């Protein structure tokens, strides 16, 4: 329980007034009256992305047709978008490229990273990692058989599990449910001391908090384009390869876009000399165009300022829940210290699913993660303090049970 009472609605509104980031909200198109706390699942629509999509469709595609590959620079979109993501994650412009989905990039880099460090064959990860991360590693193991062994170790045991057999450490920097943050620098240092490489999943980190891959000495990374980067549903993902590995890393998906000279149309594969060797097929031009425009929302924004605000918003949310809903059956399911969590807060409640549905009906959009986690993303580019106050305020009257006990709130949908 915090010692000081949480601020009033008016005090929160005053914090918004004084917040230089609050104006960024105008860059986004949000439904009137909705409090959107789900940018960790699908980022809101940047107005610039909608405009760019319209222009890319009508002009570049409709008018320019095939010449737009050159005249509109379509062919360079994966590298151009990668270069734009790079400063958000502490990478050089030529170390990041946008391509495929996070899952596919995980497969490519896990396979390539493990092979790069053979004859070692152990891949270390943690239980409860995002499902696709685990499934991809399980699939890789099924394909390679004896070539790969998985060592799935709870986070407290990770440091000790990294030994001389380990080829690759594969972890998600910010946990998708709890929001708990790994110490990337310490784990990377430990991995390197043992001769292992690291592959970080930045899906809940990129655009959410400052990440410094190169300061941490990270080797490989992947991340998502549709969460905190606001690239739109199913936006292309990105991948990072430290410059020192770019000449040696071999992709398992050796498609023509990764070839040194794709338009020579020769029979034999020869990888590009740089990070483009991790490309596979033709880039999704419209989706990349939207993502490129969306990234403009980060122009001139200090990630440190974003971070400070997201920690403050998270603290405010948790303080308010503790103060106003002490007996409602919630437990805090994320680290209580802002510095130890990503840009989200999580609560646990046995009726979590129904509560989230009831809250959505009251205009506050969070999400539910099975079996009992309520997640609230804190996207500081378009969120504010008063919204957090309002969200908890709308949660309070429902918690005497009458609202979420209505059966309509318990009907499951395909996507939660
Ligand atoms: C959202 C997310 C993904 C998404 O993978 P896709 O292939 O883009 O669907 C992967 N890993 C983590 C940790 C995520 O949070």
């Amino acid at each position: 329980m915090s010692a000081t009472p949480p601020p009033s609605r008016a005090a929160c509104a005053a914090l918004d007034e004084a917040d230089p980031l609050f104006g960024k909200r105008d860059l986004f198109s949000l439904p009137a009256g909705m409090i959107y706390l789900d940018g960790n699942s699908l980022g809101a629509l940047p107005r610039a992305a909608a405009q760019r999509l319209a222009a890319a469709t009508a002009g570049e595609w409709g008018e320019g047709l095939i010449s737009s590959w050159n005249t509109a620079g379509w062919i360079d979109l994966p590298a151009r978008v990668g270069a734009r993501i790079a400063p958000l994650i502490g990478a050089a412009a030529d170390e990041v490229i946008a391509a495929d989905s996070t899952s596919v990039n995980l497969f490519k880099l896990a396979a390539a990273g493990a092979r790069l460090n053979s004859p070692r064959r152990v891949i270390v990860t943690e239980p409860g990692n995002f499902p696709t991360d685990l499934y991809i590693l399980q699939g890789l193991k099924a394909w390679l058989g004896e070539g790969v062994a998985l060592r799935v170790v709870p986070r407290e045991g990770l440091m000790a599990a990294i030994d001389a057999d380990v080829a690759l450490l594969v972890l998600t920097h910010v946990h998708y449910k709890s929001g708990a943050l790994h110490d990337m620098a310490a784990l990377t240092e430990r991995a390197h001391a043992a001769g292992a490489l690291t592959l970080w999943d930045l899906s809940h980190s990129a655009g959410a908090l400052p990440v410094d891959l190169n300061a941490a000495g990270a080797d490989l990374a992947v991340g998502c384009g549709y969460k905190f980067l606001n690239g739109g549903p199913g936006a292309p993902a990105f991948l990072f390869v430290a410059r020192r590995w770019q000449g040696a890393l071999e992709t398992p998906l050796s498609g023509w876009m990764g070839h040194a000279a794709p338009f020579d149309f020769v029979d034999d594969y020869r990888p590009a000399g740089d990070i483009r060797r991790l490309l596979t097929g033709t880039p999704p031009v419209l989706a990349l165009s939207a993502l490129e425009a969306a990234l403009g929302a980060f122009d001139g924004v200090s990630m440190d300022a974003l971070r400070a605000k997201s920690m403050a918003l998270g603290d405010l949310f948790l303080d308010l829940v503790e103060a106003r809903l002490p007996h409602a059956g919630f437990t805090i399911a994320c680290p209580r210290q802002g510095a130890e969590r990503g840009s989200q807060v999580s609560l646990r409640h046995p009726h979590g699913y129904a509560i989230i549905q009831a809250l959505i009906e009251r205009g506050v959009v969070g999400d539910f993660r099975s079996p009992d986690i309520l997640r609230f993303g804190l996207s500081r580019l378009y969120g504010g303090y008063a919204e957090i106050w309002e969200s908890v305020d709308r949660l309070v009257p429902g918690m005497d049970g009458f609202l979420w006990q209505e059966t309509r709130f318990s009907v499951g949908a395909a996507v939660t």
Side-chain angles (χ1 to χ4, degrees):
M1 230 351 129
S2 66
T4 45
S8 64
R9 184 197 299 247
C12 288
L15 286 171
D16 285 335
E17 291 270 318
D19 175 12
L21 283 172
F22 197 62
K24 284 275 173 188
R25 186 184 175 84
D26 298 336
L27 299 178
F28 293 85
S29 172
L30 286 157
M34 180 191 286
I35 299 181
Y36 191 65
L37 302 181
D38 214 0
N40 52 333
S41 233
L42 174 64
L45 169 64
R47 294 181 198 281
Q51 285 157 7
R52 176 71 187 279
L53 264 179
T57 308
E60 296 174 14
W61 180 11
E63 301 287 329
L65 285 159
I66 196 142
S67 66
S68 288
W69 280 106
N70 293 312
T71 56
W74 284 353
I75 197 69
D76 299 322
L77 268 169
R80 219 161 64 219
V81 173
R84 220 146 169 186
I85 295 170
L88 299 177
I89 56 174
D94 62 357
E95 292 178 312
V96 185
I97 200 153
D100 302 313
S101 63
T102 309
S103 303
V104 172
N105 288 334
L106 271 165
F107 180 81
K108 291 187 294 190
L109 289 189
R115 171 181 280 207
L116 189 65
N117 211 1
S118 62
R120 293 174 178 229
R121 44 182 220 102
V122 175
I123 296 179
V124 171
T125 191
E126 65 172 320
N129 197 347
F130 191 82
T132 211
D133 300 56
L134 293 170
Y135 302 162
I136 288 287
L137 295 179
Q138 289 161 14
L140 187 63
K141 159 136 191 61
W143 272 96
L144 294 180
E146 293 304 302
V148 162
L150 288 187
R151 192 179 284 172
V152 185
V153 187
R155 54 176 55 204
E156 319 77 70
L158 282 169
M159 283 285 192
I162 303 169
D163 60 23
D165 295 329
V166 176
L168 189 64
L169 175 66
V170 182
L171 291 175
T172 302
H173 183 216
V174 174
H175 195 274
Y176 77 106
K177 266 192 207 170
S178 71
L181 191 61
H182 274 302
D183 186 338
M184 178 188 286
L187 281 156
T188 302
E189 190 183 335
R190 168 80 197 126
H192 289 175
L197 299 173
T198 53
L199 167 49
W200 290 98
D201 186 334
L202 304 178
S203 289
H204 289 280
S205 317
L209 64 158
V211 177
D212 203 337
L213 287 169
N214 281 331
D219 302 290
L220 309 168
V222 297
C224 183
Y226 53 79
K227 291 172 180 153
F228 289 98
L229 299 184
N230 309 307
F238 64 87
L239 61 85
F240 158 89
V241 178
R243 208 178 276 150
R244 62 187 174 280
W245 300 125
Q246 288 182 8
L249 209 64
E250 292 173 88
T251 178
L253 296 177
S254 46
W256 72 311
M257 283 294 151
H259 194 279
F263 293 94
D264 282 359
F265 294 101
V266 294
D267 281 355
D268 291 319
Y269 183 74
R270 183 165 54 88
D274 56 19
I275 195 166
R276 282 175 305 142
R277 65 171 52 196
L278 270 305
L279 295 179
T280 302
T282 304
V285 168
L286 296 179
L288 281 167
S289 301
L291 175 56
E292 183 174 40
L295 289 165
F298 289 93
D299 287 350
V301 171
S302 140
M303 288 308 289
D304 290 329
L306 275 190
R307 177 64 173 151
K309 182 172 170 186
S310 91
M311 291 194 290
L313 291 175
D315 288 346
L316 174 65
F317 190 102
L318 298 175
D319 288 349
L320 285 165
V321 168
E322 284 180 336
R324 300 193 58 194
L325 291 159
H327 307 299
F330 288 113
T331 48
I332 292 175
C334 58
R336 192 66 180 84
Q337 298 301 319
E340 292 169 18
R341 60 173 191 259
S343 198
Q344 68 176 65
V345 289
S346 317
L347 303 175
R348 184 170 276 132
H349 194 286
H351 300 290
Y353 183 77
I355 293 168
I356 281 286
Q357 300 316 308
L359 205 50
I360 290 171
E361 195 173 270
R362 289 165 170 235
V364 180
V365 181
D367 68 17
F368 174 75
R369 286 293 172 264
S370 182
D372 58 359
I373 300 275
L374 300 88
R375 282 194 322 179
F376 301 95
L378 308 166
S379 241
R380 304 80 31 224
L381 282 177
Y382 46 84
Y385 296 91
E387 278 194 346
I388 297 295
W389 197 95
E390 192 63 34
S391 301
V392 177
D393 194 54
R394 291 189 202 173
L395 191 55
V396 173
M399 288 316 300
D400 55 16
F402 78 91
L403 188 60
W404 52 263
Q405 278 174 5
E406 289 181 34
T407 46
R408 66 199 164 98
F409 293 128
S410 299
V411 179
V415 176
T416 60

